[in-house]
Amino acid sequence: MPENNSRRNFFKTSAIAVTAGATSANADSLKNPGREAGTFRYVGDKTKHYVMVVDLRKCVGCQACSAACKVENSAPKHQYRTFVSEFEIGSFPDVKKGFLPQLCNHCESPLCIPACPVDATFKRDDGIVVVDNTMCISCGYCVDACPYDRRFMNSDTKVADKCTLCAHRVDEGLLPACVETCVGGARVFGDINDKNSHVSKLLASLPQNVLKPYVGTNPQTFYISLDNRVEKIYDETPSINEVLRNELKSINQDQSKGVNNEK
Amino acid sequence: MKSNRRNFLIGTSAVAAASLTGCGYNKTLKIASTINSKGAVAKDSIYGDSLETEGKMFNSYEKDEDFSIRGSVCNGCTSNCGVRVKIDNRTEKVVKVTGNPYNPLSTDPWLPYETSLQKSFELLGKDSADNIKYRSTACARGNIVFDKINDPLRVLKPLKRVGKRGENKWEEIDIEQLLEEIVKGGNLFEEGDVEGLASIRNLEDPVNPNNPEMGPKANGLCVLGTGDDGRKAYMVHRFVKSFGTKNYMGHTSICGLSMRAGEAVYLNNFKKYPHLKPDFEHCEYLLTFGTAPAQAGNPFKRQAKLLAEARTERKLKCVTVSPMLTNADSIAVGDKSEWIPIKPGGDLAFAMGLLRVIIEENLFNKSYLALPSKEAQKAAKDASFSNASHLVIQDKVNNGKFLLQGKEPLVVDSKDGTLKLASKVNQAELFVDKTFKIGKTDVHVKSSMSILKEASLSETLDTYAQDSGISKEKIIATAREFVSHGRKSSIDCHGGTMHTTGFYTTYAIMMLGAMVGNLNYQGGMSAGGGRFKDFKGKRYNLLGYGGKVKVKGYRVDKTRTAYEKTTEFKTKKARGENPYPAKDTWYPFVNAIESDVLTNSSQAYPYKIKALLSWNANFIYGQSGTQHIEKVLKDPKDAVGLFIAIDPFINETSKYADYIIPDSVIYETWGVIAPWAGYQTKTNTIRFPTIAPKQAKFKNNEPICMDSFVIELGKRLNLPGFGKNAIKGNDGKKYAFDKPSDFYIRAFENIALDGKPVPDIDDKEITLAGLEPYVSTLKEICGKNWKKTAYVMARGGRFEAKEDGYKNGKLAHPYKGMVSIYNQILGTRRHAITAEKFSGVPKYYPSRFNDGKLLRDVYTIKEYPFDAFSYKSNVLNQSCASSPGILDIRYTTYIDLNPQTASEINVKDGEIVNVISADGKIKGMVRFRNGLYPGSIGIEHGLGRDGEGAVDVTINGKVTKGLVARKSGVNINKLGLLDKSRRLATLSDFVVGSNARQAIPVRVEKI
């Protein structure tokens, strides 16, 4: 599409840094034709509010979800839309196992959406955050912006990629692949607008947590029985973003001191 | 220093933990810096390259015409879960696998069997109120290993070796030519004459001319299989017993024979070799040794699911006794999960310690153990009974045998202290050590329970604590907690017992169950729910045919025969010589030892085999210590003159074959299988080709696979039971056996007709189940029953209703036999080399060789300070090198080490080290784990391959280079030890001969 090409050329030739202006996904103007047209897969079902609940008491770290997602969504080698982190918490003999399935949290106030300079990523009316891969210019800002590191640059398509809550299945009345196959029964998917849904009932009856609540993204993936020791390890593990920043900082410092760079 | 920082970014675990996308941020930079770089265009702007859905679910389910969903069985591991295979009809390829909601191994509760297929899809829709209830899953393996079907290195055409055995140089050969060569023999490789199968198949002349009691020449063919995938009965009954050889072995001796034999002795059943598993669903306290639900275990998913559910929604506390912190544990469930770290091989000491506490403190279920007979059990409304009160003769005459009157045991009635028939007593005396006058003779007897008490008290708690690595306090606390849940305490063990004393370890662990009387109780132990009649059923006996051979003589693995019955023994005795030691070990109550076949043949003891037919058996990888026996397989003049492998892959074992015949892979295969155990209701899971197999074909258009191969081979050899009129109908009619479907479809039909026959399928379901390609075959074979057979195929098998698994708090399918506190068969046998009498009850034995020398006296702690053990992977299996999907999730394995231990030997996380045993050496990367018993070395099993694409292979002159990625990881079996007290054998359990692949004494060396 001509419009797309001009956008890409624009960034190639200009040195303008794009600032993350909008603070809310909904404040974006609908520059996406699919969205403007109200094409279903761009906007979803506005009567629904989809969320994921992960009951950690039932997660056994089997990686069935990681495997199913890979197969279902053709994620390239070494790249995953969802994965289960395994931790050993404590030192011998007081050690416990911790599991943390992670996926895009489909935040209410995501940081990825305002970071995108071309509105290629947006939140559907049913809550699912998606990427229009024909609009994405591969700048990587959204990957950088996500405080959960749940976005990646797909090495096959070379555009931003992430969990879509299997929108392609949900839109046809089916469950996401990871939920369908969760051996322990930890993952539960549904609509919290429906008070009788499984997710509503779980969230009404059990205390729940989200990851990094302090970044203000209001994640819509809820964890039951998230032990604060697991949270601590998760929080203390630096995001790529921070690691890169620190690394670049120290490399720049060395450069300014005139130290030779090694390739 | 600079390069370290850059490497830190790419390879650091911190980055990996943070992103888990694996490639780190540098990839983003690379892509972002050339914004114009083009990637592949995705199929859809929002849905990307996600799969097309198999159907839509709005008001009702509408299947998409482009896909077929067929029922089958996954063999990513040996659980044999029922799954649904999604096939793209346009490409005829499997694109996805999910659970079969009718199948108890993939779903709990599972669908009522008569649920319509339409409903079975609707119930799993996103808005269904029951989509959690009937959620049917596949594990990581199940979701991905179908990619093996498309491995470019798969053997699709028959191969013959060129060059020497093991050089991995092959030429394609026409299957008819191959059959000709293996049947006729001759100078097939310019290495001298090779005896062909026609000559070997001789039922008259002896295989060992000096010892005709060893059976006919036909015993010179040995067939090695692997875990049953639903085709074992076919191979054994239709081929092995038609050929007439006694030698069929499965993989048990390298897998879990120590467990199998220990449980067989506990249940006193050496014919059927049953084994028990906990009723996970209702268990309140599970004490599991080594094997752990969700880490491993069979059935894998069912155990994991029930563990997760029972610990969250019910009362289950799962206590795992293991050198490693397993995935059975979770911080999220607090006190519902406990890890008891133990020294590798310390399990026997721990179990005996628990028994000691339970007996000493009188914590056992007295009124259960005092039930001496079936009659007493019934009167007490209990679920089993034991021989705890039966009396074992202590005199020289009949030593070790039960005191009988006629055929019935005598016990002491606790009411009046007199000797009575067990059937006439409701509660017998448990502890008896007395001399009775029987007729004119004084007979000194001890009850089984007294003997058990003596055995468990023969070591102090301090010794048990020291040798297990578990404190006295913990042993006492665990014993007391174990007995406080009535019948709802369970135990489990499996591959962790595969060391030199694993047999008694299992017996001791099972004995804990006897102490609480948990057999056949809800929440206790179960022998499984059984199966509908399949191979021998309502309409056909598929296992019987005219001319089927009653196989005779000795098995080459020396199982099922007592040394005392051999000519060698009798000859020595007749000469007045001490008959002990025998030339080598013998195993009277063991069912199969694959791991001794080649070495026994090499020693020509008991005799030499002439031909080896291995079927998907990769024992060179799976057996600990094969680096020492590869040489006898390599030389055609040594262990076996003709080696034929049926294997879809060229692996560590099939690379030594003379000929390789392809086989079908996963969803291309036939079969009927029931779960091993861990289920309470009748379950038959079936498999049939869901896609056309990829292999070359026979002239009759059948793809070459094990099943079609043995038919053609059988016909060439003029063996009975093939061809016209070879299949018996119960009504006297006979049918042809020319193709695998002739057998398996009829097995499906038997299942459909068993008991109350299943309903007829309706046309809609034929479409929904993708069975159109089978309709004409079904009509032809099953006639008027075709719609019932199709009903079974549509549901992936036949599965009894969940409610039918229990009755009044007990199992509906109980194990009906007696529990053996003391086992007479065991207690009256001697070790063939040391002549020592085996203890008839569980007893503590330290690790040892077959001559009685202690392992740790020969391989001292000073020289070999650590114990290496392997653990089952929750993601890998032992043949996943050909699955790129599995290797993506877990691409390597490590030398797991506790950081304390590592600091003592100055080894760092990520360092490459050598691990060295007395007979082997491996190299690997150290990975720190706090969840590891100090001084132990843990190795996840499944990688470190030298086959299945890991090494160069030449076919028709074209070299395919080995892929480094498939070599990655560590294979613990290369550390395996020889038992140098035997002529040539790998180390094994001293009673039952199971391969000792755990608790290997090792040291670590920095490189």
Side-chain angles (χ1 to χ4, degrees), chain A residues 41-42 50 58 72-74 78 80 88 96-97 133 150 156 171-173 179 181 187 198 225 238 240 244, chain B residues 18-19 21 25 40 44-45 47 49-51 53 57 96 126 135 138 313 329 331-332 337 888 929 931:
Chain A
R41 66 193 192 287
Y42 289 81
Y50 291 126
K58 294 190 173 175
E72 182 72 33
N73 297 302
S74 309
H78 305 314
Y80 289 84
E88 281 189 345
K96 290 297 252 173
K97 203 90 192 203
N133 56 54
R150 294 289 91 218
D156 287 344
D171 291 350
E172 310 233 297
V179 175
T181 204
R187 290 184 183 235
H198 301 301
S225 201
I240 298 178
L244 176 66
Chain B
S19 106
T21 58
Y25 199 64
D44 183 281
S45 56
Y47 299 152
D49 285 316
S50 299
L51 296 179
T53 58
M57 176 62 221
K96 182 174 146 145
K126 78 166 168 70
R135 183 193 331 231
E313 290 165 25
D329 185 61
I331 200 171
S337 176
D888 196 277
R929 289 189 61 175

Side-chain angles (χ1 to χ4, degrees), chain B residues 864-884:
Chain B
Y864 302 101
F866 308 131
D867 300 286
F869 71 95
S870 69
Y871 57 95
K872 210 53 147 318
S873 173
N874 61 345
V875 169
L876 305 167
N877 64 28
Q878 72 295 340
S879 63
C880 60
S882 48
S883 168

Side-chain angles (χ1 to χ4, degrees), chain B residues 779-895:
Chain B
K779 286 182 176 164
E780 197 186 302
I781 292 182
C782 310
K784 66 181 191 323
N785 295 321
W786 82 268
K787 285 193 171 182
K788 293 191 189 305
T789 312
Y791 191 91
V792 171
M793 286 174 77
R795 283 154 182 73
R798 190 169 174 187
F799 315 105
E800 197 178 26
K802 190 175 152 109
E803 332 50 279
D804 294 343
Y806 303 101
K807 215 167 156 187
N808 303 325
K810 303 192 181 77
L811 304 181
H813 298 292
Y815 181 76
K816 300 210 169 114
M818 176 188 74
V819 167
S820 287
I821 307 298
Y822 170 93
N823 186 295
Q824 176 173 310
I825 293 176
L826 176 63
T828 51
R829 286 263 165 247
R830 295 177 183 280
H831 193 279
I833 292 181
T834 63
E836 65 189 296
K837 255 220 165 127
F838 292 131
S839 166
V841 297
K843 185 170 180 260
Y844 179 60
Y845 292 89
S847 298
R848 49 177 283 179
F849 295 93
N850 271 290
D851 64 0
K853 285 211 186 70
L854 299 189
L855 203 69
R856 280 318 202 148
D857 283 348
V858 177
Y859 303 133
T860 60
I861 301 276
K862 192 152 178 278
E863 256 200 293
Y864 302 101
F866 308 131
D867 300 286
F869 71 95
S870 69
Y871 57 95
K872 210 53 147 318
S873 173
N874 61 345
V875 169
L876 305 167
N877 64 28
Q878 72 295 340
S879 63
C880 60
S882 48
S883 168
I886 290 291
L887 292 186
D888 196 277
I889 296 183
R890 195 153 299 173
Y891 52 86
T892 197
T893 54
Y894 304 89
I895 309 285

Side-chain angles (χ1 to χ4, degrees), chain A residues 5 25 33 40 102 119 129 135 173 190 194 226 240 242-243 246 252 255:
Chain A
N5 283 339
F40 191 82
Q102 293 171 60
D119 293 312
V129 176
M135 304 286 281
D194 174 5
L226 175 62
I240 298 178
E242 285 165 49
V243 171
N246 292 332
N252 286 336
Q255 269 187 317

Side-chain angles (χ1 to χ4, degrees), chain B residues 453-474:
Chain B
K453 181 170 178 172
E454 270 172 33
S456 57
L457 263 54
S458 66
E459 304 285 351
T460 61
L461 261 189
D462 284 304
T463 303
Y464 290 138
Q466 165 116 349
D467 290 357
S468 62
I470 297 172
S471 73
K472 238 173 30 179
E473 292 69 37
K474 194 62 178 173

Side-chain angles (χ1 to χ4, degrees), chain B residues 346-417:
Chain B
D347 37 6
L348 177 54
F350 183 53
M352 291 306 302
L354 293 171
L355 282 172
R356 187 191 159 121
V357 172
I358 291 172
I359 292 176
E360 249 190 326
E361 296 188 8
N362 281 308
L363 298 173
F364 47 85
N365 186 329
K366 185 159 184 237
S367 57
Y368 163 74
L369 289 167
L371 300 170
S373 56
K374 201 66 170 190
E375 291 79 1
Q377 171 200 325
K378 288 206 169 108
K381 292 202 170 69
D382 210 307
S384 73
F385 74 99
S386 76
N387 66 8
S389 57
H390 297 192
L391 305 170
V392 182
I393 298 168
Q394 302 298 303
D395 306 312
K396 203 152 182 246
V397 178
N398 286 325
N399 186 281
K401 295 196 175 155
F402 284 115
L403 181 64
L404 305 175
Q405 185 171 296
K407 287 210 167 134
E408 247 207 86
L410 288 167
V411 296
V412 177
D413 190 336
S414 62
K415 272 205 299 241
D416 55 19

Side-chain angles (χ1 to χ4, degrees), chain B residues 594-610:
Chain B
E594 151 186 76
S595 35
D596 273 356
V597 167
L598 294 179
T599 43
N600 288 358
S601 181
S602 175
Q603 303 293 304
Y605 185 83
Y607 52 84
K608 223 176 155 80
I609 56 169
K610 295 295 174 67

Side-chain angles (χ1 to χ4, degrees), chain B residues 9 53 88 128 143 149 188 255 265 317 323 380 418 421 440 464 512 654 707 755 759 766 779 813 852 857 879 911 930:
Chain B
L9 231 170
T53 58
D88 188 329
S128 160
N143 267 291
I149 294 173
L188 303 169
C255 174
V265 87
K317 174 173 177 175
T418 62
L421 290 174
K440 295 205 182 117
Y464 290 138
L512 293 167
S654 56
D707 324 73
I766 292 179
K779 286 182 176 164
H813 298 292
D857 283 348
S879 63
E911 188 173 329
N930 270 290

